[in-house]
Amino acid sequence: AGVCAICYASYNICIKKASSLIDPLLGGVLLQLVATVLGGCLWVATKSGHGSKVSQAGMAWSVAAGIAVGMAEILSFYVNSLGVPASQSVPVIIGGSILVGCVMGFVFLRELLTLRGWCGVLLIALGIAMVGMDPGASLH
């Protein structure tokens, strides 16, 4: 999980750096192209000669996830191209996805959180609000 967090943080910083230098749509397409090539190579390397689990439902949910992440990436490029500091955009986007993910898990997947879990979600929401309202500053 720690390596995944490092990858997500790096991904967001790279989007921030690229956002003022590339059209958001093109940036999203290029990002997806690289992810497709990398994922395809890893799949071939690890599944070569072995059976892979495949179902229509799995394919449909994977396509839906691709649409959602593609839109998220394009919107991340756009938000960052507006000059929003990464110290604000990354916590709001990632924290917001945690908040929305918890609510969607409850509503659509019927997953339950304890009172302690919902208190954590409330703290995330408060943290997002605090970061989002922070005027921020740049070191350069």
Side-chain angles (χ1 to χ4, degrees):
V3 172
C4 185
I6 291 167
C7 290
Y8 267 118
S10 300
Y11 148 90
N12 281 291
I13 295 301
C14 290
I15 286 177
K16 175 60 184 171
K17 293 296 285 180
S19 65
S20 64
L21 305 170
I22 193 168
D23 179 89
L25 291 173
L26 180 57
V29 168
L30 185 57
L31 191 157
Q32 286 294 323
L33 180 63
V34 171
T36 299
V37 170
L38 176 63
C41 290
L42 289 172
W43 183 75
V44 167
T46 60
K47 301 295 181 183
S48 183
H50 299 77
S52 292
K53 181 168 49 170
V54 179
S55 70
Q56 281 187 317
M59 298 287 278
W61 282 111
S62 295
V63 168
I67 292 168
V69 78
M71 290 303 301
E73 288 166 352
I74 291 166
L75 291 169
S76 290
F77 271 98
Y78 177 72
V79 166
N80 283 291
S81 74
L82 299 175
V84 177
S87 58
Q88 286 182 307
S89 66
V90 172
V92 171
I93 291 168
I94 299 300
S97 71
I98 294 167
L99 178 65
V100 173
C102 287
V103 173
M104 289 177 74
F106 176 75
V107 172
F108 297 113
L109 303 176
R110 300 181 193 267
E111 296 176 347
L112 299 176
L113 286 176
T114 63
L115 177 61
R116 179 177 167 180
W118 284 113
C119 287
V121 171
L122 177 63
L123 289 172
I124 291 168
L126 291 172
I128 293 167
M130 291 173 69
V131 170
M133 292 186 289
D134 187 339
S138 181
L139 295 176
H140 26 4

